[in-house]
Amino acid sequence: AEGATVLGEVLNRSDTKPETVKMLLDKGANVNQAESNGATPIFYIAANNQISSARRTEIAKMLLDKGADKTVKAKNGKTPLD
């Protein structure tokens, strides 16, 4: 998608795996890089209902451990927790 980051694209997939996210994070993916809509990677994993809750939680913890901001607001004014 236009304005998308690699990490954001991966987190939007139905087959997102923690190992893939870990590899991207280890390679320096920016956990707070906003896409064109203002959303950061934590938004995408929080909203990805295509994968199990346990997997979403595991990946969200990885992002948070790397410093993802859970209070950031997208252009629509919402946070990842909304």
Side-chain angles (χ1 to χ4, degrees):
E2 186 176 334
T5 64
V6 172
L7 186 55
E9 287 289 320
V10 166
L11 296 174
N12 259 329
R13 297 178 52 93
S14 62
D15 60 350
T16 301
K17 293 180 176 60
E19 300 80 20
T20 306
V21 175
K22 182 182 182 321
M23 185 222 24
L24 290 171
L25 295 175
D26 288 349
K27 297 273 185 192
N30 183 343
V31 295
N32 289 308
Q33 183 175 351
E35 297 194 357
S36 58
N37 63 2
T40 59
I42 197 80
F43 280 87
Y44 293 104
I45 200 59
N48 187 341
N49 293 321
Q50 302 174 85
I51 61 173
S52 72
S53 177
R55 186 177 286 182
R56 276 199 328 266
T57 299
E58 179 181 356
I59 293 170
K61 184 176 178 342
M62 292 168 63
L63 296 174
L64 292 168
D65 287 349
K66 289 287 187 176
D69 183 355
K70 64 184 178 205
T71 64
V72 67
K73 291 186 179 181
K75 289 183 178 178
N76 64 6
K78 294 188 181 266
T79 72
L81 302 175
D82 290 336

